[in-house]
């Protein structure tokens, strides 16, 4: 190993950020160079994405800037496109310029997961995921823009299509996004759209299994379905999306309808970049780890989080691995960083062990469901627990203070429900002005323009 070992952290999300934070604290300056590579200049606190989409929290406050938080690390904004651990070389594709190779001594693979999609006709063209802050901002603007569109037309079909919102996947990410956005749209219609009624909206959640929220007990999941249904939302269990063509949605139960909005939250899979590495993966494409979070057979490669198969030592069943969630990701990152420091100092690494504490989910303002250490909470107490838990968890005091300030302002001045539609296509007006200047007349809208002003397109 070189005099000053290079620790390469692939991904600056939950695992990457928390690992780097701990390493920069524990390895005094000069003992190691810590390089964090991520295509985004920030970590995203994903549990706050539904609230960011619903306007309860400013989207900038749910991300944590890597350069500011990691002053003693080298932050590279780019993607690792593959690596040879045998040669200790990683390929980096920077934001701009030629790809290059980076040599390292110790690897932390923490590139997370991507949406798990299916080959459903029209899904790639019309759907959008819900995993990053761009998608949250886009959806917020899109939903509010659909209310504007519906309120400004007399065509019943255009109005029905604009006010039909379809979500696929009933895990916590999907249910929270579904419930929070409906809550925002309901609030907006009630206060600012006298030509619309909340009864005009149709919110459809499609779930292939016979239940939603697998993270909580069946009775809590059933209660959540009942609550959503009581709000007029349509939860379809044991149902699959068959196709979506020109905004026409077809479901496996035979129902079909037009919908301008299709949000896909039906699970995740390990980052496919792993295929471009020589790290061992299991049948689900996850990096195979030892309980110490070392990659199997490679003592100087470590992994954790959504893309890692980490043995769950709290379960008796052989082969059990920890679930892909933030609760494990944060704790694994701390154990992983401590183990790297231990090994660099000639000590033995310790195994990771954590019993899953439970889940908290927000279902809109003052509504929620939670099951933590066996205690089941519904409604306002669950929502309050969701907020207090996540504000205690979001990294840095700066972000905690800003999130609390957002909530306080929204409570005092009401939440902000204005669509910044120009964010979806900021150059349009300028390009039209430039073209008009050149030709003296306004060009007809392109197919792309028409699409962006109406149906939702994957960005
Ligand atoms: C909407 C939503 C709500 C959620 N709510 C909860 C919740 O309430 N409770 C809970 O426990 N969990 C929740 N989760 C899950 C939780 O956020 C994840 O389990 C957690 O983020 C996993 O951490 P990670 O570090 O493995 O991945 P991530 O945090 O996703 O980080 C992966 C990082 O790798 C980067 N990356 C990707 N490709 C590359 C590449 N090629 N090179 C370099 N970097 C790369 C990404 O940009 C990203 O920054 C939620 C998830 C979502 C989407």
């Amino acid at each position: 190993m070189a005099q000053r070992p290079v620790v390469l952290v692939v991904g600056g999300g939950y695992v990457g950020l928390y690992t780097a934070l701990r390493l920069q604290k524990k390895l005094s300056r000069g003992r190691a160079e810590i390089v964090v590579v991520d295509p985004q200049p920030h970590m995203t606190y994903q549990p706050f994405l539904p609230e960011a989409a619903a306007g309860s929290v400013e989207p900038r406050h749910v991300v944590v800037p890597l350069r500011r938080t990691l002053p003693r690390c080298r932050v590279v904004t780019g993607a690792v496109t593959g690596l040879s651990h045998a040669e200790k070389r990683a390929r980096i594709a920077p934001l701009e310029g030629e790809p290059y190779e980076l040599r390292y001594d110790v690897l932390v693979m923490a590139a997370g997961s991507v949406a798990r999609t299916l080959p459903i006709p029209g899904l790639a063209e019309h759907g959008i995921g819900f995993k990053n802050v761009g998608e949250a901002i886009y959806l917020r603007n899109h939903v509010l823009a659909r209310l504007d569109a519906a309120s400004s037309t007399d065509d019943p079909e255009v109005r029905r299509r604009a006010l039909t919102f379809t979500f696929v996947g009933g895990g916590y990410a999907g249910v929270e996004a579904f419930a929070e956005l409906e809550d925002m749209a309901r609030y907006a219609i009630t206060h600012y759209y006298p030509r619309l009624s909340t009864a005009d909206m149709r919110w459809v959640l499609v779930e292939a299994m016979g239940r939603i929220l697998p993270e909580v007990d069946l009775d809590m999941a059933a209660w959540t379905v009942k609550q959503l249904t009581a709000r007029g939302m349509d939860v379809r269990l044991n149902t699959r999306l068959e196709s979506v063509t020109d905004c026409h949605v077809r479901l496996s139960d035979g129902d079909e309808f037009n919908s301008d909005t299709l949000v896909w939250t039906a699970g995740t899979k390990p980052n496919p970049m792993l295929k471009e590495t020589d790290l061992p993966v299991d049948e689900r494409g996850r990096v195979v780890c030892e309980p110490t979070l070392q990659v199997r057979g490679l003592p100087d490669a470590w992994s954790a989080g959504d893309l890692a198969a980490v043995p769950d030592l709290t379960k008796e069943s052989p082969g059990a691995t920890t679930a892909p969630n933030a609760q494990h990701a944060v704790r694994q990152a701390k154990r992983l960083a401590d183990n790297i420091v231990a090994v660099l100092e000639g000590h033995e690494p310790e195994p990771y062990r954590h019993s899953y504490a439970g889940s908290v989910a927000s279902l809109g303002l003052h509504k929620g469901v939670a099951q933590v250490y066996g205690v089941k909470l519904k409604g306002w107490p669950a929502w309050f627990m969701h907020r207090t838990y996540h504000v205690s968890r979001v990294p840095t005091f700066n972000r905690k203070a800003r999130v609390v300030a957002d909530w306080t302002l929204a409570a005092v001045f009401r939440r902000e429900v204005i669509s910044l539609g120009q964010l979806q296509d900021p150059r349009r007006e300028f390009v039209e002005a430039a073209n008009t200047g050149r030709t003296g007349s306004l060009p007809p809208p392109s197919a792309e323009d028409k699409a962006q002003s109406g149906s939702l397109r994957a960005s």
Side-chain angles (χ1 to χ4, degrees), residues 107-287:
L107 174 72
V108 178
M109 177 50 76
S113 55
V114 299
R116 179 165 43 86
T117 53
L118 296 170
I120 294 172
L123 176 61
E125 292 78 17
H126 297 286
I128 187 167
F130 195 74
K131 261 187 80 61
N132 62 50
V133 72
E135 289 165 339
I137 295 171
Y138 188 100
L139 268 175
R140 171 178 167 70
N141 284 324
H142 173 79
V143 169
L144 291 170
R146 294 301 81 210
L147 302 192
D148 288 329
S151 163
S152 310
T153 179
D154 290 326
D155 183 332
E157 179 42 38
V158 172
R159 181 183 275 224
R160 208 169 11 252
R161 197 183 66 205
L163 293 180
T164 301
F165 304 94
T166 312
F167 285 61
V168 184
Y172 48 54
V175 170
E176 282 192 305
F178 182 62
E180 284 280 357
L181 280 163
E182 189 271 352
D183 194 58
M184 175 192 73
R186 174 177 295 275
Y187 175 88
I189 287 181
T190 309
H191 288 86
Y192 307 115
Y193 292 86
R195 292 192 74 220
L196 300 181
S197 152
T198 52
D200 297 336
M201 293 197 294
R202 185 172 182 201
W203 289 77
V204 186
L205 177 65
V206 181
E207 168 54 54
M209 291 201 305
R211 59 165 299 173
I212 60 168
L213 292 177
E215 301 80 12
V216 297
D217 286 351
L218 200 51
D219 58 325
M220 298 299 275
W223 178 85
T224 308
V225 171
K226 220 166 139 190
Q227 291 300 307
L228 298 176
T229 310
R231 279 159 63 174
M233 301 159 87
D234 186 354
V235 181
R236 305 283 179 97
L237 302 178
N238 298 310
T239 308
R240 294 180 317 280
L241 174 71
E242 296 272 304
S243 70
V244 47
T245 324
D246 291 336
C247 301
H248 189 71
V249 172
R250 276 201 180 81
L251 302 182
S252 61
D253 62 5
D255 197 7
E256 45 187 279
F257 49 85
N258 290 332
S259 172
D260 274 350
T261 309
L262 179 67
V263 186
W264 181 265
T265 54
T268 58
K269 64 180 181 188
N271 196 314
M273 177 268 291
L274 284 176
K275 291 187 189 132
E276 306 303 319
T277 73
D278 55 356
L279 303 177
V281 293
D282 69 0
E283 68 293 345
R284 285 158 64 183
R286 301 175 300 173
V287 182

Side-chain angles (χ1 to χ4, degrees), residues 395-418:
T396 78
F397 177 74
N398 179 308
R399 259 41 201 170
K400 292 183 205 303
R402 288 176 193 269
V403 167
V404 171
D406 288 341
W407 287 337
T408 311
L409 288 171
V412 176
F413 297 113
R414 291 183 174 180
R415 67 166 108 178
E416 204 61 82
V417 280
I418 178 72

Side-chain angles (χ1 to χ4, degrees), residues 14 18 43-49 62-63 389-390 393-395:
Y14 265 91
Y18 278 101
M43 175 262 195
T44 304
Y45 191 81
Q46 290 170 342
F48 273 147
L49 287 180
V62 308
V63 299
Y389 173 76
H390 283 301
R393 292 285 157 182
V394 68

Side-chain angles (χ1 to χ4, degrees), residues 303-320:
S303 189
D306 280 8
L307 59 42
V310 177
D312 189 341
L313 301 183
T314 66
K315 295 217 173 101
E316 308 231 311
S317 46

Side-chain angles (χ1 to χ4, degrees), residues 7 9 14-27 31-32 34 70 106-110 291-294 302-304 328-345 347-350 352:
V7 181
V9 181
Y14 265 91
V15 171
L17 175 71
Y18 278 101
T19 301
L21 268 174
R22 207 152 171 104
L23 287 178
Q24 77 172 5
K25 188 169 152 206
K26 293 207 159 188
L27 295 174
R31 279 181 60 204
I34 306 157
L70 300 172
V106 178
L107 174 72
V108 178
M109 177 50 76
T292 54
L293 302 167
Q294 278 157 309
W302 307 75
S303 189
H328 282 302
V330 173
R331 288 172 175 82
Q332 287 172 352
K334 288 181 181 162
R335 168 60 32 228
L336 192 161
D338 287 350
N339 279 350
I340 289 180
V341 176
V343 169
L344 288 175
E345 291 175 347
H347 304 298
E348 284 298 308
E350 287 181 27
Y352 171 78

